[in-house]
Amino acid sequence: MTTDQADPAVNRTARLACAWSGVACTVLFAIGFVAFARFLPFPSPGIPAEQVVAELAGNKFGIRVGVIFMIIGFGLFATFVCGVALELRHTDGRYPALTYVQLVCGGASAAILALSPMFFGIMVYRVGEIPVHVTQALYDIAWFCFVMPYPVFSLLLLAQGGAILRDTATPVVFPRWAGFLCFATAAELIPTGFIIFFREGPLAWNGIIGLGIPMIFFFSWIMVLSYYLIRHVTRDTRPSARSSILRWRGDLAVEDLAGRPLGQ
């Protein structure tokens, strides 16, 4: 079997892996963030340093395990973005500006997201051994990395939304309303940039506007695009995978006939 004959099946596996990585990202994050770290409901930024240390010390093992799940999940965010950009590449023409914006911002976003669980891990690594105000500072950094850096995510979403609306293929990869969902999510992330001004209320990092609604939009966007991405890749590659198998079987038959002496 030659390399060009193997490509359809190999590409199908890689494309499906990218498509499913959005779902895996969300599930792994939920397991780490909610089940192990127990960060839901969101803790208040206004609690004193001593209480922060006490709460962290009471769940050191859970936070450590949660960090592992979250950091793996956020790594898969990069492959999810790559999967979306790959399937929308045809909308970008000869000069794929929107595709490059998606790839660059997707990689940067995954790196930023990974910083948050890393700082949560650093917090509990020496919790109780270092001054409480140092632990609280690390706590603040972890939450700020998780909530605040909206511009790079918004750029990613705007590029994706623009590419989706420019898609004229039949059938399209994503429905047009998914493009508007990208724009709405980009807008909903903007209030997260104001958490630096508040320690309580709806615009604090535990507030409904500061984190609650943006988080709902963010993971809804991932799951919606993942659903349509999986459906598209499955539909698009099924004939290629089948023809590849048929060609492979035909090659085996030809080689078998050519390699055996007559009469056997």
Side-chain angles (χ1 to χ4, degrees), residues 33 39 42-43 120 139-147 205 211:
F33 190 85
F39 287 149
F42 309 125
F120 282 127
Y139 188 70
D140 291 340
I141 292 172
W143 281 102
F144 270 66
C145 287
F146 179 66
V147 180
W205 79 44
L211 181 56

Side-chain angles (χ1 to χ4, degrees), residues 1-238:
M1 183 171 56
T2 60
T3 303
D4 60 336
Q5 290 173 326
D7 281 344
V10 172
N11 285 343
R12 182 175 195 270
T13 302
R15 291 167 68 186
L16 279 174
C18 288
W20 277 99
S21 61
V23 177
C25 167
T26 304
V27 172
L28 290 172
F29 168 78
I31 293 172
F33 190 85
V34 179
F36 285 100
R38 300 203 295 265
F39 287 149
L40 196 67
F42 309 125
S44 171
I47 60 178
E50 293 77 11
Q51 185 178 343
V52 171
V53 171
E55 292 180 358
L56 294 175
N59 189 29
K60 286 196 294 185
F61 179 77
I63 293 174
R64 285 170 174 169
V65 176
V67 163
I68 294 173
F69 277 96
M70 285 189 284
I71 206 165
I72 295 173
F74 288 148
L76 293 174
F77 180 81
T79 56
F80 159 70
V81 173
C82 286
V84 175
L86 172 67
E87 303 306 329
L88 291 174
R89 170 64 182 85
H90 67 275
T91 68
D92 231 3
R94 183 177 179 184
Y95 301 100
L98 293 181
T99 300
Y100 289 156
V101 170
Q102 291 178 65
L103 293 174
V104 171
C105 290
S109 300
I112 293 170
L113 287 173
L115 287 175
S116 179
M118 285 176 62
F119 277 110
F120 282 127
I122 294 169
M123 280 188 316
V124 297
Y125 187 69
R126 296 193 185 277
V127 65
E129 301 177 19
I130 56 178
V132 294
H133 65 272
V134 175
T135 300
Q136 188 179 43
L138 293 171
Y139 188 70
D140 291 340
I141 292 172
W143 281 102
F144 270 66
C145 287
F146 179 66
V147 180
M148 190 175 179
Y150 72 91
V152 66
F153 291 95
S154 293
L155 286 173
L156 164 63
L157 287 157
L158 292 174
Q160 282 187 347
I164 290 171
L165 295 182
R166 287 170 56 175
D167 191 1
T168 58
T170 304
V172 294
V173 181
F174 303 100
R176 287 182 61 83
W177 66 264
F180 292 109
L181 174 63
C182 292
F183 295 149
T185 304
E188 288 297 331
L189 292 180
I190 294 175
T192 64
F194 297 98
I195 64 169
I196 196 171
F197 295 106
F198 302 93
R199 293 189 182 180
E200 58 184 19
L203 282 170
W205 79 44
N206 66 329
I208 187 67
I209 299 176
L211 181 56
I213 294 176
M215 197 168 175
I216 292 172
F217 267 84
F218 183 78
F219 286 104
S220 297
W221 156 68
I222 292 178
M223 294 302 289
V224 166
L225 263 61
S226 294
Y227 168 76
Y228 284 105
L229 192 60
I230 294 166
R231 190 178 74 166
H232 167 75
V233 173
T234 303
R235 178 184 60 211
D236 188 54
T237 59
R238 187 180 292 119

